[in-house]
Every structure is written in structure tokens, then in C-alpha cells.
CSV table of all heavy atoms in Angstrom, one decimal:
chain,number,residue,atom,x,y,z
A,17,MET,N,-44.4,23.3,8.8
A,17,MET,CA,-43.2,24.1,9.2
A,17,MET,C,-42.3,24.2,8.0
A,17,MET,O,-41.9,23.2,7.4
A,17,MET,CB,-42.5,23.6,10.3
A,17,MET,CG,-42.1,24.6,11.3
A,17,MET,SD,-41.1,23.9,12.6
A,17,MET,CE,-41.5,24.9,13.9
A,18,ALA,N,-41.8,25.4,7.6
A,18,ALA,CA,-40.9,25.5,6.5
A,18,ALA,C,-39.5,25.2,6.9
A,18,ALA,O,-39.1,25.5,8.0
A,18,ALA,CB,-41.0,27.0,6.0
A,19,LYS,N,-38.9,24.4,6.0
A,19,LYS,CA,-37.5,24.0,6.3
A,19,LYS,C,-36.5,25.0,5.9
A,19,LYS,O,-35.3,25.0,6.4
A,19,LYS,CB,-37.2,22.7,5.6
A,19,LYS,CG,-37.9,21.5,6.2
A,19,LYS,CD,-37.4,20.2,5.5
A,19,LYS,CE,-37.9,19.0,6.2
A,19,LYS,NZ,-37.4,17.8,5.6
A,20,GLY,N,-36.8,25.8,5.0
A,20,GLY,CA,-35.8,26.8,4.5
A,20,GLY,C,-35.0,26.2,3.3
A,20,GLY,O,-35.3,25.0,2.9
A,21,PRO,N,-34.1,26.9,2.7
A,21,PRO,CA,-33.4,26.4,1.5
A,21,PRO,C,-32.5,25.2,1.9
A,21,PRO,O,-32.0,25.0,3.0
A,21,PRO,CB,-32.5,27.6,1.1
A,21,PRO,CG,-32.3,28.4,2.4
A,21,PRO,CD,-33.6,28.2,3.2
A,22,GLU,N,-32.4,24.3,0.9
A,22,GLU,CA,-31.5,23.1,1.1
A,22,GLU,C,-30.0,23.6,1.2
A,22,GLU,O,-29.6,24.6,0.6
A,22,GLU,CB,-31.6,22.2,-0.2
A,22,GLU,CG,-32.9,21.5,-0.2
A,22,GLU,CD,-32.9,20.4,-1.3
A,22,GLU,OE1,-31.8,20.0,-1.8
A,22,GLU,OE2,-34.0,20.0,-1.7
A,23,LYS,N,-29.3,22.8,1.9
A,23,LYS,CA,-27.9,23.1,2.1
A,23,LYS,C,-27.1,22.7,0.8
A,23,LYS,O,-27.5,21.7,0.2
A,23,LYS,CB,-27.3,22.4,3.3
A,23,LYS,CG,-27.9,22.9,4.6
A,23,LYS,CD,-27.1,22.4,5.8
A,23,LYS,CE,-27.7,23.1,7.0
A,23,LYS,NZ,-26.9,22.8,8.2
A,24,ASN,N,-26.1,23.4,0.5
A,24,ASN,CA,-25.3,23.2,-0.7
A,24,ASN,C,-24.2,22.2,-0.3
A,24,ASN,O,-23.1,22.6,-0.1
A,24,ASN,CB,-24.8,24.5,-1.3
A,24,ASN,CG,-24.2,24.3,-2.6
A,24,ASN,OD1,-24.1,23.1,-3.1
A,24,ASN,ND2,-24.0,25.4,-3.3
A,25,THR,N,-24.5,20.9,-0.2
A,25,THR,CA,-23.5,20.0,0.3
A,25,THR,C,-22.5,19.6,-0.8
A,25,THR,O,-21.4,19.2,-0.5
A,25,THR,CB,-24.2,18.7,0.7
A,25,THR,OG1,-25.0,18.2,-0.3
A,25,THR,CG2,-25.0,18.9,2.0
A,26,LYS,N,-22.9,19.8,-2.1
A,26,LYS,CA,-22.0,19.5,-3.2
A,26,LYS,C,-20.8,20.4,-3.2
A,26,LYS,O,-19.6,19.9,-3.2
A,26,LYS,CB,-22.7,19.6,-4.5
A,26,LYS,CG,-21.9,19.1,-5.7
A,26,LYS,CD,-22.7,19.2,-7.0
A,26,LYS,CE,-21.8,18.8,-8.2
A,26,LYS,NZ,-22.5,18.9,-9.4
A,27,ASN,N,-21.0,21.7,-3.1
A,27,ASN,CA,-19.9,22.6,-3.0
A,27,ASN,C,-19.1,22.5,-1.8
A,27,ASN,O,-17.8,22.6,-1.8
A,27,ASN,CB,-20.4,24.1,-3.1
A,27,ASN,CG,-20.7,24.5,-4.5
A,27,ASN,OD1,-20.3,23.8,-5.5
A,27,ASN,ND2,-21.4,25.6,-4.7
A,28,LYS,N,-19.7,22.2,-0.7
A,28,LYS,CA,-19.0,22.0,0.6
A,28,LYS,C,-18.1,20.8,0.5
A,28,LYS,O,-16.9,20.8,0.9
A,28,LYS,CB,-20.0,21.8,1.7
A,28,LYS,CG,-19.4,21.8,3.1
A,28,LYS,CD,-20.4,21.8,4.2
A,28,LYS,CE,-19.8,21.9,5.5
A,28,LYS,NZ,-20.8,21.9,6.6
A,29,ALA,N,-18.6,19.7,-0.2
A,29,ALA,CA,-17.8,18.5,-0.3
A,29,ALA,C,-16.6,18.8,-1.2
A,29,ALA,O,-15.4,18.3,-1.0
A,29,ALA,CB,-18.6,17.4,-0.9
A,30,LEU,N,-16.8,19.5,-2.3
A,30,LEU,CA,-15.7,19.9,-3.2
A,30,LEU,C,-14.7,20.7,-2.5
A,30,LEU,O,-13.4,20.6,-2.7
A,30,LEU,CB,-16.2,20.6,-4.4
A,30,LEU,CG,-17.0,19.8,-5.5
A,30,LEU,CD1,-17.6,20.7,-6.6
A,30,LEU,CD2,-16.0,18.7,-6.1
A,31,HIS,N,-15.1,21.7,-1.7
A,31,HIS,CA,-14.2,22.6,-1.0
A,31,HIS,C,-13.4,21.8,0.0
A,31,HIS,O,-12.2,22.0,0.1
A,31,HIS,CB,-15.1,23.6,-0.2
A,31,HIS,CG,-14.2,24.6,0.5
A,31,HIS,ND1,-13.5,25.6,-0.2
A,31,HIS,CD2,-14.0,24.9,1.8
A,31,HIS,CE1,-12.9,26.3,0.7
A,31,HIS,NE2,-13.2,25.9,1.9
A,32,THR,N,-14.0,20.8,0.7
A,32,THR,CA,-13.3,20.0,1.7
A,32,THR,C,-12.2,19.2,0.9
A,32,THR,O,-11.1,19.0,1.4
A,32,THR,CB,-14.3,19.1,2.4
A,32,THR,OG1,-15.2,19.9,3.0
A,32,THR,CG2,-13.6,18.2,3.4
A,33,LYS,N,-12.6,18.6,-0.2
A,33,LYS,CA,-11.7,17.8,-1.0
A,33,LYS,C,-10.5,18.7,-1.4
A,33,LYS,O,-9.3,18.2,-1.3
A,33,LYS,CB,-12.4,17.3,-2.2
A,33,LYS,CG,-11.6,16.3,-3.1
A,33,LYS,CD,-12.4,15.8,-4.3
A,33,LYS,CE,-11.6,15.0,-5.2
A,33,LYS,NZ,-12.4,14.5,-6.3
A,34,LEU,N,-10.7,19.9,-1.9
A,34,LEU,CA,-9.6,20.8,-2.3
A,34,LEU,C,-8.7,21.1,-1.1
A,34,LEU,O,-7.5,21.1,-1.2
A,34,LEU,CB,-10.2,22.0,-2.9
A,34,LEU,CG,-10.7,21.9,-4.3
A,34,LEU,CD1,-11.4,23.2,-4.8
A,34,LEU,CD2,-9.7,21.5,-5.3
A,35,LEU,N,-9.3,21.4,0.0
A,35,LEU,CA,-8.6,21.7,1.2
A,35,LEU,C,-7.7,20.6,1.7
A,35,LEU,O,-6.5,20.7,2.0
A,35,LEU,CB,-9.5,22.2,2.3
A,35,LEU,CG,-10.0,23.6,2.2
A,35,LEU,CD1,-10.9,23.9,3.4
A,35,LEU,CD2,-8.9,24.6,2.1
A,36,ASN,N,-8.3,19.4,1.6
A,36,ASN,CA,-7.5,18.2,2.0
A,36,ASN,C,-6.4,17.9,1.0
A,36,ASN,O,-5.3,17.6,1.5
A,36,ASN,CB,-8.4,16.9,2.0
A,36,ASN,CG,-9.4,17.0,3.2
A,36,ASN,OD1,-9.1,17.7,4.2
A,36,ASN,ND2,-10.4,16.2,3.1
A,37,ARG,N,-6.6,18.2,-0.2
A,37,ARG,CA,-5.5,18.0,-1.2
A,37,ARG,C,-4.4,19.0,-1.0
A,37,ARG,O,-3.2,18.7,-1.0
A,37,ARG,CB,-6.1,18.2,-2.6
A,37,ARG,CG,-5.3,17.6,-3.7
A,37,ARG,CD,-5.8,17.9,-5.1
A,37,ARG,NE,-7.2,17.4,-5.3
A,37,ARG,CZ,-7.9,17.7,-6.4
A,37,ARG,NH1,-7.5,18.5,-7.3
A,37,ARG,NH2,-9.1,17.2,-6.5
A,38,LYS,N,-4.8,20.3,-0.6
A,38,LYS,CA,-3.8,21.3,-0.3
A,38,LYS,C,-3.0,21.0,0.9
A,38,LYS,O,-1.8,21.1,0.9
A,38,LYS,CB,-4.6,22.6,-0.1
A,38,LYS,CG,-3.7,23.8,0.1
A,38,LYS,CD,-4.5,25.1,0.3
A,38,LYS,CE,-3.6,26.3,0.7
A,38,LYS,NZ,-4.4,27.5,0.9
A,39,LYS,N,-3.7,20.5,1.9
A,39,LYS,CA,-3.0,20.1,3.2
A,39,LYS,C,-2.0,19.0,2.9
A,39,LYS,O,-0.9,18.9,3.5
A,39,LYS,CB,-4.0,19.7,4.3
A,39,LYS,CG,-4.8,20.9,4.8
A,39,LYS,CD,-5.8,20.4,5.9
A,39,LYS,CE,-6.6,21.6,6.3
A,39,LYS,NZ,-7.7,21.1,7.2
A,40,ALA,N,-2.5,18.0,2.1
A,40,ALA,CA,-1.6,16.9,1.8
A,40,ALA,C,-0.4,17.3,1.0
A,40,ALA,O,0.7,16.8,1.3
A,40,ALA,CB,-2.4,15.8,1.0
A,41,LYS,N,-0.6,18.2,0.1
A,41,LYS,CA,0.6,18.8,-0.7
A,41,LYS,C,1.6,19.5,0.3
A,41,LYS,O,2.8,19.3,0.1
A,41,LYS,CB,0.1,19.7,-1.7
A,41,LYS,CG,1.1,20.3,-2.6
A,41,LYS,CD,0.5,21.2,-3.7
A,41,LYS,CE,1.6,21.8,-4.5
A,41,LYS,NZ,1.0,22.8,-5.5
A,42,ILE,N,1.1,20.3,1.2
A,42,ILE,CA,1.9,21.0,2.1
A,42,ILE,C,2.7,20.0,3.0
A,42,ILE,O,3.9,20.2,3.2
A,42,ILE,CB,1.1,22.0,2.9
A,42,ILE,CG1,0.6,23.2,2.0
A,42,ILE,CG2,1.9,22.6,4.1
A,42,ILE,CD1,-0.3,24.1,2.7
A,43,ARG,N,2.0,19.0,3.5
A,43,ARG,CA,2.6,18.0,4.3
A,43,ARG,C,3.7,17.2,3.6
A,43,ARG,O,4.8,17.0,4.1
A,43,ARG,CB,1.5,17.0,4.7
A,43,ARG,CG,1.8,16.2,6.0
A,43,ARG,CD,0.6,15.3,6.4
A,43,ARG,NE,-0.6,15.9,6.5
A,43,ARG,CZ,-1.7,15.5,5.8
A,43,ARG,NH1,-1.7,14.5,5.0
A,43,ARG,NH2,-2.9,16.2,5.9
A,44,GLU,N,3.4,16.9,2.3
A,44,GLU,CA,4.5,16.2,1.5
A,44,GLU,C,5.7,17.1,1.3
A,44,GLU,O,6.8,16.7,1.3
A,44,GLU,CB,3.8,15.8,0.1
A,44,GLU,CG,4.7,15.0,-0.7
A,44,GLU,CD,5.0,13.6,-0.1
A,44,GLU,OE1,4.2,13.1,0.6
A,44,GLU,OE2,6.1,13.1,-0.4
A,45,GLU,N,5.4,18.4,1.0
A,45,GLU,CA,6.5,19.4,0.8
A,45,GLU,C,7.4,19.5,2.0
A,45,GLU,O,8.6,19.6,2.0
A,45,GLU,CB,6.0,20.7,0.4
A,45,GLU,CG,5.5,20.8,-1.1
A,45,GLU,CD,4.8,22.1,-1.4
A,45,GLU,OE1,4.6,22.9,-0.5
A,45,GLU,OE2,4.5,22.3,-2.6
A,46,LYS,N,6.7,19.5,3.2
A,46,LYS,CA,7.5,19.6,4.5
A,46,LYS,C,8.3,18.3,4.7
A,46,LYS,O,9.4,18.4,5.1
A,46,LYS,CB,6.5,19.7,5.6
A,46,LYS,CG,6.0,21.1,5.8
A,46,LYS,CD,5.2,21.2,7.1
A,46,LYS,CE,4.7,22.7,7.3
A,46,LYS,NZ,3.9,22.8,8.5
A,47,LYS,N,7.8,17.2,4.3
A,47,LYS,CA,8.5,15.9,4.5
A,47,LYS,C,9.7,15.9,3.6
A,47,LYS,O,10.8,15.5,4.0
A,47,LYS,CB,7.6,14.8,4.1
A,47,LYS,CG,8.1,13.4,4.5
A,47,LYS,CD,7.3,12.3,4.0
A,47,LYS,CE,5.9,12.2,4.5
A,47,LYS,NZ,5.1,11.1,4.1
A,48,VAL,N,9.6,16.4,2.3
A,48,VAL,CA,10.7,16.4,1.4
A,48,VAL,C,11.8,17.4,1.9
A,48,VAL,O,13.0,17.1,1.8
A,48,VAL,CB,10.2,16.8,0.0
A,48,VAL,CG1,11.3,17.1,-1.0
A,48,VAL,CG2,9.3,15.7,-0.6
A,49,GLN,N,11.3,18.5,2.4
A,49,GLN,CA,12.3,19.5,2.9
A,49,GLN,C,13.0,19.0,4.1
A,49,GLN,O,14.2,19.2,4.2
A,49,GLN,CB,11.5,20.8,3.3
A,49,GLN,CG,12.4,21.9,3.7
A,49,GLN,CD,13.2,22.5,2.6
A,49,GLN,OE1,13.0,22.4,1.5
A,49,GLN,NE2,14.3,23.3,3.0
A,50,ALA,N,12.3,18.3,5.0
A,50,ALA,CA,13.0,17.7,6.1
A,50,ALA,C,14.0,16.7,5.7
A,50,ALA,O,15.1,16.6,6.3
A,50,ALA,CB,11.9,17.1,7.1
A,51,LEU,N,13.7,15.9,4.7
A,51,LEU,CA,14.6,14.9,4.2
A,51,LEU,C,15.8,15.5,3.6
A,51,LEU,O,17.0,15.1,3.9
A,51,LEU,CB,13.9,14.0,3.2
A,51,LEU,CG,14.6,12.7,2.8
A,51,LEU,CD1,14.8,11.8,3.9
A,51,LEU,CD2,13.8,12.0,1.7
A,52,ARG,N,15.6,16.6,2.9
A,52,ARG,CA,16.8,17.3,2.3
A,52,ARG,C,17.7,17.9,3.4
A,52,ARG,O,18.9,17.8,3.3
A,52,ARG,CB,16.3,18.5,1.4
A,52,ARG,CG,15.9,18.1,0.0
A,52,ARG,CD,15.8,19.4,-0.8
A,52,ARG,NE,15.1,19.1,-2.0
A,52,ARG,CZ,14.0,19.8,-2.4
A,52,ARG,NH1,13.6,20.8,-1.8
A,52,ARG,NH2,13.4,19.4,-3.6
A,53,LEU,N,17.1,18.5,4.4
A,53,LEU,CA,17.8,19.0,5.5
A,53,LEU,C,18.6,17.9,6.2
A,53,LEU,O,19.8,18.1,6.6
A,53,LEU,CB,16.9,19.7,6.5
A,53,LEU,CG,16.6,21.2,6.2
A,53,LEU,CD1,15.6,21.7,7.1
A,53,LEU,CD2,17.8,22.0,6.2
A,54,LYS,N,18.0,16.8,6.4
A,54,LYS,CA,18.6,15.7,7.1
A,54,LYS,C,19.8,15.2,6.4
A,54,LYS,O,20.9,15.0,7.0
A,54,LYS,CB,17.6,14.5,7.3
A,54,LYS,CG,18.0,13.5,8.3
A,54,LYS,CD,17.0,12.4,8.4
A,54,LYS,CE,15.9,12.8,9.3
A,54,LYS,NZ,15.0,11.7,9.6
A,55,THR,N,19.7,15.0,5.1
A,55,THR,CA,20.9,14.6,4.3
A,55,THR,C,22.0,15.6,4.2
A,55,THR,O,23.1,15.3,4.3
A,55,THR,CB,20.4,14.2,2.8
A,55,THR,OG1,19.8,15.4,2.2
A,55,THR,CG2,19.5,13.0,2.8
A,56,LEU,N,21.6,16.9,4.2
A,56,LEU,CA,22.5,18.0,4.2
A,56,LEU,C,23.3,18.0,5.5
A,56,LEU,O,24.5,18.2,5.5
A,56,LEU,CB,21.9,19.3,3.9
A,56,LEU,CG,22.8,20.5,3.8
A,56,LEU,CD1,23.6,20.4,2.5
A,56,LEU,CD2,21.9,21.8,3.6
A,57,VAL,N,22.6,17.9,6.6
A,57,VAL,CA,23.2,17.9,7.9
A,57,VAL,C,24.2,16.7,8.1
A,57,VAL,O,25.3,16.8,8.5
A,57,VAL,CB,22.2,17.9,9.0
A,57,VAL,CG1,22.8,17.6,10.4
A,57,VAL,CG2,21.5,19.2,9.1
A,58,ALA,N,23.7,15.5,7.6
A,58,ALA,CA,24.6,14.3,7.7
A,58,ALA,C,25.9,14.6,6.8
A,58,ALA,O,27.0,14.2,7.3
A,58,ALA,CB,23.8,13.1,7.2
A,59,LYS,N,25.7,15.1,5.7
A,59,LYS,CA,26.8,15.4,4.8
A,59,LYS,C,27.8,16.4,5.4
A,59,LYS,O,29.0,16.2,5.4
A,59,LYS,CB,26.3,16.0,3.5
A,59,LYS,CG,27.3,16.1,2.4
A,59,LYS,CD,26.7,16.6,1.1
A,59,LYS,CE,27.6,16.7,0.0
A,59,LYS,NZ,27.0,17.2,-1.3
A,60,MET,N,27.3,17.5,6.0
A,60,MET,CA,28.1,18.5,6.7
A,60,MET,C,28.8,17.9,7.9
A,60,MET,O,30.0,18.1,8.2
A,60,MET,CB,27.3,19.7,7.1
A,60,MET,CG,26.8,20.5,5.9
A,60,MET,SD,28.0,21.0,4.8
A,60,MET,CE,28.9,22.2,5.8
A,61,ASN,N,28.1,17.0,8.7
A,61,ASN,CA,28.8,16.4,9.8
A,61,ASN,C,29.9,15.4,9.4
A,61,ASN,O,30.9,15.4,10.0
A,61,ASN,CB,27.7,15.6,10.6
A,61,ASN,CG,26.8,16.5,11.4
A,61,ASN,OD1,27.2,17.7,11.7
A,61,ASN,ND2,25.7,16.0,11.8
A,62,GLU,N,29.6,14.7,8.3
A,62,GLU,CA,30.7,13.8,7.8
A,62,GLU,C,31.9,14.6,7.3
A,62,GLU,O,33.0,14.3,7.6
A,62,GLU,CB,30.1,13.1,6.6
A,62,GLU,CG,31.0,12.0,6.0
A,62,GLU,CD,30.4,11.3,4.8
A,62,GLU,OE1,29.3,10.8,5.0
A,62,GLU,OE2,31.0,11.3,3.8
A,63,LYS,N,31.6,15.8,6.6
A,63,LYS,CA,32.8,16.6,6.2
A,63,LYS,C,33.5,17.2,7.4
A,63,LYS,O,34.7,17.2,7.4
A,63,LYS,CB,32.2,17.7,5.3
A,63,LYS,CG,33.3,18.6,4.7
A,63,LYS,CD,32.7,19.7,3.9
A,63,LYS,CE,33.8,20.6,3.3
A,63,LYS,NZ,33.3,21.8,2.7
A,64,LYS,N,32.7,17.6,8.4
A,64,LYS,CA,33.3,18.2,9.6
A,64,LYS,C,34.2,17.2,10.3
A,64,LYS,O,35.3,17.5,10.7
A,64,LYS,CB,32.2,18.7,10.5
A,64,LYS,CG,32.7,19.4,11.8
A,64,LYS,CD,31.5,19.9,12.6
A,64,LYS,CE,32.0,20.6,13.9
A,64,LYS,NZ,30.9,21.0,14.7
A,65,SER,N,33.7,16.0,10.4
A,65,SER,CA,34.5,14.9,11.1
A,65,SER,C,35.7,14.5,10.3
A,65,SER,O,36.8,14.3,10.9
A,65,SER,CB,33.7,13.7,11.4
A,65,SER,OG,33.3,13.1,10.2
A,66,SER,N,35.6,14.6,9.0
A,66,SER,CA,36.8,14.2,8.2
A,66,SER,C,37.8,15.4,8.2
A,66,SER,O,39.0,15.1,8.2
A,66,SER,CB,36.4,14.0,6.7
A,66,SER,OG,35.9,15.1,6.1
A,67,ASP,N,37.4,16.6,8.3
A,67,ASP,CA,38.3,17.8,8.4
A,67,ASP,C,39.0,17.7,9.8
A,67,ASP,O,40.2,18.0,9.9
A,67,ASP,CB,37.5,19.1,8.3
A,67,ASP,CG,37.1,19.4,6.9
A,67,ASP,OD1,37.6,18.7,6.0
A,67,ASP,OD2,36.2,20.3,6.7
A,68,GLU,N,38.3,17.3,10.8
A,68,GLU,CA,38.9,17.3,12.2
A,68,GLU,C,40.0,16.1,12.2
A,68,GLU,O,41.0,16.3,12.8
A,68,GLU,CB,37.8,17.0,13.2
A,68,GLU,CG,37.0,18.3,13.5
A,68,GLU,CD,35.9,18.0,14.5
A,68,GLU,OE1,35.7,16.8,14.9
A,68,GLU,OE2,35.2,18.9,14.8
A,69,SER,N,39.6,15.0,11.5
A,69,SER,CA,40.6,13.9,11.5
A,69,SER,C,41.8,14.3,10.7
A,69,SER,O,43.0,13.9,11.0
A,69,SER,CB,40.0,12.7,11.0
A,69,SER,OG,39.6,12.8,9.6
A,70,ASP,N,41.7,15.1,9.6
A,70,ASP,CA,42.8,15.6,8.8
A,70,ASP,C,43.7,16.5,9.6
A,70,ASP,O,44.9,16.6,9.5
A,70,ASP,CB,42.3,16.2,7.6
A,70,ASP,CG,41.8,15.2,6.5
A,70,ASP,OD1,42.0,14.0,6.7
A,70,ASP,OD2,41.1,15.7,5.6
A,71,ALA,N,43.0,17.4,10.4
A,71,ALA,CA,43.7,18.4,11.2
A,71,ALA,C,44.6,17.7,12.3
A,71,ALA,O,45.6,18.2,12.8
A,71,ALA,CB,42.8,19.4,11.8
A,72,GLY,N,44.1,16.5,12.8
A,72,GLY,CA,44.8,15.8,13.9
A,72,GLY,C,46.1,15.1,13.4
A,72,GLY,O,46.9,14.7,14.2
A,73,LYS,N,46.2,15.0,12.1
A,73,LYS,CA,47.4,14.3,11.6
A,73,LYS,C,48.7,15.1,11.6
A,73,LYS,O,48.8,16.2,11.6
A,73,LYS,CB,47.2,13.8,10.2
A,73,LYS,CG,46.2,12.7,10.1
A,73,LYS,CD,46.1,12.2,8.7
A,73,LYS,CE,45.1,11.0,8.6
A,73,LYS,NZ,45.0,10.5,7.3
């Protein structure tokens, strides 16, 4: 029985490796963006609370 052509596992492995690298990069960028947003929100909340305390004086 003929098996047919061999599967190209080398290219498939390289493609998977590239996709995993791309996904990891996107995941890292999302993490950095979330951290930036978190610090910005904290900074704005701090400023807002200090402004409110100044207005109460």
C-alpha cells in the first residue's frame, strides 16, 4: 500500500515556533500596557484625592 508523500514536519514546527513567539510577544505587550494603565489610574486617583482634600480646606 502506498503511503503517499511524507509530511513536512520541519516547516510545521518552525511555523508553530513563530506563532508561539508572536503570541508571547502580544501577551507581553498586553501585560506592559495593563501595568502602564494601572500606574496611570493610581496616579490620577492620587491627584483626584489630593485635589478634593485641597478643596475641602
Side-chain angles (χ1 to χ4, degrees):
M17 221 186 210
K19 288 187 173 182
E22 287 187 21
K23 292 192 175 186
N24 193 349
T25 56
K26 185 177 180 185
N27 278 348
K28 190 172 184 180
L30 286 174
H31 184 69
T32 303
K33 184 178 177 182
L34 285 173
L35 284 181
N36 288 340
R37 202 183 299 170
K38 182 180 177 182
K39 287 178 187 175
K41 183 180 178 183
I42 291 171
R43 203 177 308 124
E44 186 66 30
E45 286 173 353
K46 281 185 179 181
K47 191 187 297 183
V48 169
Q49 183 69 17
L51 191 63
R52 275 195 198 128
L53 276 174
K54 193 179 281 187
T55 56
L56 185 64
V57 167
K59 190 176 179 182
M60 292 305 290
N61 285 340
E62 185 180 306
K63 184 179 179 189
K64 185 178 177 183
S65 65
S66 68
D67 285 348
E68 287 174 357
S69 65
D70 287 344
K73 288 184 178 180

